[in-house]
Structures are given as structure tokens and as C-alpha cells.
Amino acid sequence: MRKFSIFSMAMLFLLFAVNAQAQARPNILLLVAEDLGPRLNSFGDSLAQTPNLDALASSGVRFDQVFATAGVCAPSRAALITGVHQNSFGAGHMRASDGLGGDYLAVPPHDLKAFPELLRAAGYYTYVNDKLDYQFSGTQPGSGPFTIWDQESSLFSPVSWRDRPAQRPFFGMYNFMETHESALFPRCCWPRSGLHALMAAMQIYRHWGEPSPVSEDRVSVPPYYPDTPAVRRDIARQYNNIATMDRRVGEIMTALQREALLDSTIVIWLSDHGDGLPRAKRELFDSGLHVPMIIYWPEAFRPGGLSPGQVDSRLISFVDLAPTILTMAGVAPPAFMHGQDFLDRGHPPRRYIYAAKDRMDEVEDRQRAVRDHRYKYIRNYQSGRPGAQPLAFRDYLGSMQSLWAAKRKGELNTEQAQWFAPRPPEELYDTQLDPHEVRNIASLPAYRPILLRMRQALDHWQREVPDMGSLNESEMAERFWPGGQAPITAKPELEYTAAKSEVRIVAGTQGASVGYRANDGRWLLYRDPVPVKAGDRVASKSVRYGWRESPVVELVAP
């Protein structure tokens, strides 16, 4: 009996230790809407019909001062997935794969890794829904480094947390295309070929005909738009798309509750940048950068000082998301990240956030911006050019066509014409008194001390963070892909150790991520030597971000 009691106590202690370890590793979901500013009821927009997100906000925390590092998806997502400003590693142009200077992908420094790969290395099962778009990948599943995700979902091959191995915590990233800019295109005018056509067909018409929760006569028209039927239609349609996206969020939350995962899963919802409407998407105004964010924590994982229903107004940059999520998972953020864990009260709160704009599709441009809690400073490197320029994809919008027509007819007032006028070298806005950023106060003597402070803040950031946007894009493309050809990652080396019955794998290219599979199983991220028995086949390949994968190398254990 004494021996049995000791054994029982030991087993109870072991079970307690296992449960404690599991408790310390939450599941994490990152839900990312497309092209959406803070148009939620819970963020003060009473027109929005977002009951599921409002419920999430009431049980979570709303962060109302979150800013993307770019006003468009690929550069912004590059910063989100790495914790590094996109312009520091050549990911600032929209998009790298469409480079005017030749075909290329961004090639980050060899030590840079996407944070889901770091989670995967720490034992998390990682998966993504539909979209990549990191600038060292294409947009679609299968186009990026295979080591970042355990599985990549597509329309015809969905994956979820249900596909994870038993007992492994999961990190999943869901992308909601319903609110994408292309879902506002008139049916007569959507792109006829390529990815844009596919996006339009899958997202626009999938929900066409659903009743709009907001009628055109009820929307508020910002002062930088003329009040035209086309502008009102696009804004009203945006609310309809938001309602559709909200239903999908509700489906995910219902599934978590049904499968008893709400008590172990942190849910983060936000948008990849601001609104998909003209003078918002692609721009460095708040309409293009300011995003809503909601984080739900189960009680066991909620940080001290935060409570359900709370609003947190600390400044947060997209580069802060990666280190914060890693810390949630118990993984130390690497030194290469520019961001900081915004939940760590040991860090001084941010005083500034920074953003960058470079080439947008076929239009070359370069702007840099810094913002504090009140003021926004924008530096225009190509001053004298208008902010609004013909852009094939954006010009499909009915509201954009209406803007161009009003400009041609001379019907724009001063605030509406500002975007079409030549830009000055510097812009300064008081976002408290001028939330739409239509009154540039950079030249007013009363604001000169603020102008100098914001100018110095941007100068300091540019000294601290490399900026490849100053390079000619052709020069940068040649540096990444000499001769326009993607470098190929060298084959990894496999070594069998008989004494330990294991296979060690060494990357052939500095900084390459290494994967392996045993006996035709799934590709796994290589972390430690692979235990094998006689006759086992181990295959391996590796990839340097932005390069082609290496050939596959195989070894059969003797």
C-alpha cells in the first residue's frame, strides 16, 4: 500500500505538471479582416451591424490606437508576420512580385523568421486560411516558405485546429476577404483576368444580393469626398460586407465554444490596414492606417490590469503584434524584431508609430510618416506630384470614378481637391481637431515646435531602422534576384548517427529554414535530430526566404 501510495502521488504530480504545462501554452487565433477601418458598433460606429464582433469586444479588450505600417496589404502583412518594418528589408513596394524593376521577391536578412515559424519551432501547430502575401511569398497558399506553416488552407482544401496532432497547442490565422476593396467594384467593371478576377468572382458575387444593413441615405460622407450617389453606394456596400465578415467571425467563435476551446484560446481580431475606399487604402492618412483591434483572453491567460469590456488606448504598431503573440505563447521574441510586447508593462509606452509608402502597383511614390497620440507628420520625397494618380485597380471603384469625374468638371471643393493637388514636401495634421486630415498646418508658425519635434522623430527612426526605399527598385531587384532569376537554396546535408539511431540535418545556405519528412509523412520543421529505425526514409529540403526551395535530399537508415 505504501509503495502504491507513493506511485499514485508521483502520477498525480506528473499529471499536474502536464496540465500546468498545457495551461501555460494557450491556443491563439489571429483573425484578420481586409481593408477595414474602425467601422464597428463597439468602436462607436452606430451604423455598423457587427453583433459577433461586439460580443467579442464585450468579453475582450478593445485597442483603439492601433496602426498599420502601410496602407496596403502586402507591405503591411510583411511587417505583421515578421515584427519588422517592411521598408527595412525591401518589402515596401506593392507588391514585390509585380516589381516595375523586374520580377523578384523581397529577401529578408538571413536571421529573420516569420513569427508562426518561431511558434512552430516551439511546438505549436500552425495553419493559415487562404492568403499569404508577405512579399517573400505570393498571395496564394503554396507560394511562400513551406516552413512557416504546418498546413495552408485553400478554398478547396480547408484546414483548421481539428487537423492538429493531439495535445499540441495551435496558432491559426484566418483572413476575411469579404471586406476587400474588390468587393466594392461595380459588376460591370471588375477585372477580367488573373488574380483580381478570381478575387472578384469569389468575393464580390458570393454575397451580391444580400440585403444591405445600411441604406445609402444613412451613411456619413467624409469631407474629402463629394456627396455623390456612387460614393454613398460604396460606403453603404462596405457596411454590408462588414456584416458578412462579422457572421464568419461568429461561426468561428461558435465552433470554439462548441468544442470547449474558449477557455484555452486567445482570439485576436483586427484589420490588415484601413478602409478600402479612395484616399484611405494605400495612403498614410489615418483612414489608411488606423485599424480596430479586439483581443479576447480566457480568464486563465488574461494579463493583469485588463478586464472584459475595457478600452485600451496605448499606441500600438503592427510591428508590435509578432513579439506580443510570441510572448503570449511563452516564446522569447528575437532581437531582430523592431516591435515590442505591448502588454509588457515593463516597456515604456510607445510615443510614436511609423509608416511608409512606396510604389503602389504601377505608380512610383515614396512617403514616410510618424504619428503620436495627436499629430501626424508626413514627408513627401516626390513633392509636387498629386496624391491621387490614375491607378488601374483602384479606378474600378465607382466612388473613384465619381471623384475623377468631379475633378474634370471642377466640382471639387478645397477639402475634396486637396488629394488631387501637388503635395508639399511636408504635411502636419492635428488629428484631434482635424480627424480627416484635410488641413495641413505644417506652415503655420504656431505649430512650428510640433513640426520640428515630429520631423526629428522621423529622422531618429530613419537612423535606427534601415530603409531600402531609397534604392532604385531595379537596383534592389538585382540585389535580391541577380539577372532576374530567383536564387536556389542549397541542398541540406543529412548525416546518420548509428550510436544514437538518429539523422542530423544541416542547412546548406546560411539562414535557410529546414524541413523534413519521414516515410512520406507530412513536412515538419526541423528542430532536433530525427530518431529513426532501420529502413526508415528521411527526406529533407530547405528554403531561404525569398529564394526557391532546395532540391529534396533523401537518406535511408541502415
Side-chain angles (χ1 to χ4, degrees), residues 49-202:
Q49 294 192 10
T50 51
N52 295 293
L53 285 167
D54 297 342
L56 187 66
S58 67
S59 58
V61 177
R62 284 164 286 167
F63 293 84
D64 65 356
Q65 293 296 303
V66 181
F67 294 88
T69 59
V72 71
C73 50
S76 173
R77 287 171 179 269
L80 187 155
I81 208 76
T82 62
V84 171
H85 284 282
Q86 70 279 357
N87 49 301
S88 71
F89 66 94
H93 298 293
M94 180 61 194
R95 52 181 46 90
S97 56
D98 298 330
L100 297 182
D103 191 25
Y104 73 97
L105 292 178
V107 180
H110 67 83
D111 60 341
L112 183 149
K113 302 293 179 186
F115 80 83
E117 182 170 317
L118 300 177
L119 289 175
R120 195 179 179 193
Y124 271 74
Y125 169 79
T126 65
Y127 68 97
V128 65
N129 161 268
D130 291 335
K131 186 173 182 179
L132 304 186
D133 212 13
Y134 319 132
Q135 302 281 52
F136 47 85
S137 73
T139 60
Q140 299 303 300
S143 65
F146 74 100
T147 52
I148 296 177
W149 306 100
D150 282 281
Q151 287 191 276
E152 298 176 4
S153 176
S154 67
L155 179 66
F156 304 106
S157 181
V159 297
S160 76
W161 60 76
R162 302 177 189 93
D163 299 292
R164 74 189 188 281
Q167 307 305 316
R168 282 181 66 184
F170 61 81
F171 171 80
M173 182 174 177
Y174 290 81
N175 300 285
F176 301 100
M177 290 292 295
E178 287 82 359
T179 52
H180 190 267
E181 171 189 32
S182 60
L184 302 175
F185 292 166
R187 281 180 286 182
C188 64
C189 305
W190 58 286
R192 304 280 178 190
S193 62
L195 172 63
H196 294 156
L198 179 63
M199 290 167 61
M202 290 172 55

Side-chain angles (χ1 to χ4, degrees), residues 202-428:
M202 290 172 55
Q203 302 302 330
I204 304 174
Y205 301 112
R206 176 181 173 189
H207 306 290
W208 202 274
E210 294 178 357
S212 176
V214 176
S215 60
E216 296 169 13
D217 63 315
R218 293 179 59 205
V219 303
S220 176
V221 179
Y224 45 77
Y225 294 152
D227 191 345
T228 67
V231 167
R232 286 185 170 272
R233 274 196 301 270
D234 279 359
I235 296 174
R237 179 65 188 168
Q238 178 81 339
Y239 283 103
N240 186 36
N241 296 339
I242 293 168
T244 303
M245 177 272 298
D246 180 81
R247 289 194 289 272
R248 280 195 61 199
V249 172
E251 292 168 0
I252 292 171
M253 296 305 296
T254 298
L256 287 173
Q257 185 172 36
R258 184 175 60 244
E259 298 178 33
L261 289 169
L262 271 181
D263 289 339
S264 58
T265 305
I266 298 171
V267 179
I268 306 167
W269 178 91
L270 78 167
S271 174
D272 64 348
H273 54 77
D275 278 341
L277 294 161
R279 201 189 174 275
K281 186 170 181 176
R282 303 174 182 86
E283 303 299 331
L284 299 185
F285 301 117
D286 278 7
S287 55
L289 301 177
H290 188 199
V291 303
M293 183 170 75
I294 302 169
I295 304 182
Y296 162 80
W297 283 275
E299 187 174 353
F301 298 105
R302 189 183 305 122
L306 296 177
S307 57
Q310 182 178 344
V311 177
D312 191 303
S313 296
R314 73 189 84 188
L315 277 177
I316 297 173
S317 167
F318 261 34
V319 294
D320 297 330
L321 289 166
T324 303
I325 292 172
L326 288 173
T327 305
M328 287 176 175
V331 179
F336 67 74
M337 289 186 172
H338 296 151
Q340 62 186 38
D341 173 14
F342 59 78
L343 299 171
D344 184 353
R345 297 293 181 177
H347 286 303
R350 273 191 177 276
R351 189 178 182 189
Y352 302 106
I353 61 95
Y354 304 92
K357 177 185 178 183
D358 288 288
R359 174 182 55 77
M360 291 293 142
D361 296 348
E362 68 272 23
V363 176
E364 295 187 60
D365 203 351
R366 188 180 178 218
Q367 293 177 291
R368 298 294 181 264
V370 57
R371 190 194 196 282
D372 64 11
H373 272 287
R374 180 167 179 173
Y375 296 99
K376 163 83 64 62
Y377 170 79
I378 300 175
R379 180 174 295 163
N380 295 306
Y381 289 85
Q382 292 165 304
S383 59
R385 299 174 61 178
Q389 300 183 58
L391 199 67
F393 192 66
R394 180 176 59 203
D395 286 350
Y396 284 113
L397 288 167
S399 52
M400 193 66 222
Q401 295 170 23
S402 180
L403 283 165
W404 284 122
K407 179 182 181 296
R408 286 193 299 270
K409 296 175 183 177
E411 296 174 349
L412 298 176
N413 64 27
T414 302
E415 292 178 334
Q416 296 157 7
Q418 181 199 44
W419 188 39
F420 295 88
R423 293 181 309 205
E426 296 179 302
E427 300 172 56
L428 181 68

